[in-house]
Amino acid sequence: ISERDLWRYRLGTTKSGRTRRRVIFPSLSDDGDLNYWVARTVDKDKNPKYLNSKTVKKSVIFNEIDLDFRKKITLVEGPFDLIKCDDNTTCLLGSALNSSYALFQELARFRTPVLLALDADMPGKTQKIASLLHSAGCDVEILPLGKFSDVGEMNKNEFLSLKNSAKSWSPMDSLLQKISSIKSGSII
């Protein structure tokens, strides 16, 4: 994490209390109000690894204040993945997105082009989210992760390189993904 990242993402910590020895990642609404936060431990043996705001996730557009819905937005799973990406990026606060989420509603309203940069272990969810966004009129691309299992394993240059090789998604991609997941010898 660079000094620029510390300021850009408004990262912090506390000296006491429940968030002691955790990096706090706040989220601001488009009005600049705190609408969510995540705190991650810096100790490998401390559980739980994450503490989250009690706000309902689907009502939050993480760091909406930093987003331009008229330009392509990259979607990642968690806030710490944001640090590895370019500036017009937000997170799902997990791996779910449906039509009841505030984020989906804004993306659909602006028909925002979207780059999905979700973890490799969720190909089915990635396809489902791509289909949902596509049905709302958003152009969708999927980030090829290559040797990485998620964006958090990359540095910024690796992310930008892979972003340049992202391919447009179409409904046929979902069908092809389902076919490729069928194991040899299985009964359909």
Side-chain angles (χ1 to χ4, degrees):
I1 296 176
S2 68
E3 183 175 345
R4 178 190 182 274
D5 294 331
L6 292 173
W7 289 106
R8 164 138 174 58
Y9 295 107
R10 301 167 283 275
L11 302 178
T13 191
T14 60
K15 291 183 179 181
S16 62
R18 186 172 96 124
T19 55
R20 182 182 173 280
R21 298 202 44 81
R22 293 178 182 272
V23 176
I24 302 169
F25 205 126
S27 168
L28 302 181
S29 70
D30 60 345
D31 294 329
D33 296 324
L34 180 69
N35 62 2
Y36 201 86
W37 57 267
V38 175
R40 179 181 173 162
T41 184
V42 297
D43 301 312
K44 293 181 187 203
D45 59 347
K46 189 171 185 180
N47 285 314
K49 186 174 183 178
Y50 293 96
L51 297 176
N52 294 295
S53 169
K54 300 223 185 282
T55 306
V56 176
K57 292 177 185 180
K58 70 181 187 176
S59 69
V60 173
I61 300 175
F62 199 88
N63 274 344
E64 184 177 12
I65 195 167
D66 297 328
L67 300 175
D68 183 348
F69 284 92
R70 295 166 295 171
K71 296 179 181 174
K72 184 188 297 183
I73 289 182
T74 300
L75 296 182
V76 296
E77 290 189 23
F80 289 89
D81 295 332
L82 297 174
I83 295 168
K84 307 297 179 91
C85 301
D86 51 0
D87 288 345
N88 208 34
T89 301
T90 191
C91 65
L92 301 176
L93 296 168
S95 60
L97 182 70
N98 65 46
S99 61
S100 69
Y101 281 57
L103 175 58
F104 170 80
Q105 293 166 6
E106 279 301 284
L107 293 168
R109 182 165 77 96
F110 285 96
R111 290 194 166 95
T112 304
V114 174
L115 173 65
L116 286 177
L118 306 181
D119 295 1
D121 63 347
M122 303 303 241
K125 284 190 176 185
T126 298
Q127 293 297 319
K128 184 177 178 182
I129 292 170
S131 179
L132 176 70
L133 291 167
H134 179 78
S135 71
C138 300
D139 290 331
V140 179
E141 295 179 339
I142 296 180
L143 184 78
L145 293 176
K147 66 181 181 179
F148 302 102
S149 62
D150 68 28
V151 172
E153 294 177 355
M154 302 175 192
N155 63 43
K156 287 182 186 188
N157 290 332
E158 290 166 331
F159 168 81
L160 292 173
S161 176
L162 290 172
K163 180 181 178 181
N164 290 331
S165 63
K167 303 227 183 317
S168 292
W169 181 91
S170 75
M172 184 59 74
D173 294 329
S174 183
L175 177 61
L176 294 172
Q177 190 274 326
K178 287 176 186 172
I179 292 170
S180 71
S181 68
I182 297 171
K183 304 266 190 263
S184 177
S186 64
I187 298 173
I188 298 177

